Amino acid sequence: MPGYANRTIMLPFPDLTEEGDETIHVVIKNPRMVPVQELQPPDVPPREDGSQDDMATFKAGCAVISRLVKAWHVYDASDDSDDQAPLPLPATADLVAKLPLEIQQRIGEEIQAVRNPGN
């Protein structure tokens, strides 16, 4: 089958997985193999006073991550019940915002590795 190699990356999170459950994981498009516009966050205009709107910037980052997610076995980290709800697909910025910070940061590292190679 023709195409680029290594188009996806599986990111497992065994430390976040409860005993007896399938390993928590996220499968993303390899940021090295996507057009640059898929890695560009939506524009976040500054507030009227010129300061940065941190929540809007966070949501813009979640939008980028959501475009990369192909599959996942994750739960809603904002759900405090004994049986947390699994997050459905397709991924959206709102769903990505419900992931534990560890998962968000790990996907962000993959994106940063493309934006700032060698760092």
Side-chain angles (χ1 to χ4, degrees):
M1 177 172 4
Y4 293 111
N6 305 314
R7 287 179 273 189
T8 61
I9 299 171
M10 164 85 128
L11 303 173
F13 298 91
D15 293 349
L16 298 180
T17 305
E18 283 192 336
E19 189 174 325
D21 193 9
E22 175 185 348
T23 300
I24 300 297
H25 67 274
V26 179
V27 178
I28 62 169
K29 295 178 194 177
N30 186 339
R32 293 168 179 80
M33 300 294 142
V34 299
V36 69
Q37 61 266 24
E38 285 194 44
L39 303 177
Q40 290 299 115
D43 287 334
V44 178
R47 294 183 179 138
E48 287 185 24
D49 65 2
S51 66
Q52 182 178 356
D53 183 339
D54 291 337
M55 185 52 71
T57 300
F58 170 73
K59 288 181 180 182
C62 288
V64 171
I65 291 173
S66 72
R67 290 193 298 258
L68 294 179
V69 172
K70 300 280 285 175
W72 59 18
H73 177 70
V74 294
Y75 296 94
D76 180 350
S78 67
D79 181 352
D80 290 332
S81 64
D82 289 340
D83 292 320
Q84 290 179 311
L87 292 179
L89 288 169
T92 64
D94 289 337
L95 293 175
V96 168
K98 294 180 179 188
L99 293 172
L101 184 58
E102 181 176 341
I103 295 175
Q104 293 171 358
Q105 287 179 328
R106 180 66 184 90
I107 297 169
E109 289 169 6
E110 291 293 329
I111 296 167
Q112 284 303 111
V114 173
R115 289 184 180 155
N116 301 314
N119 287 342

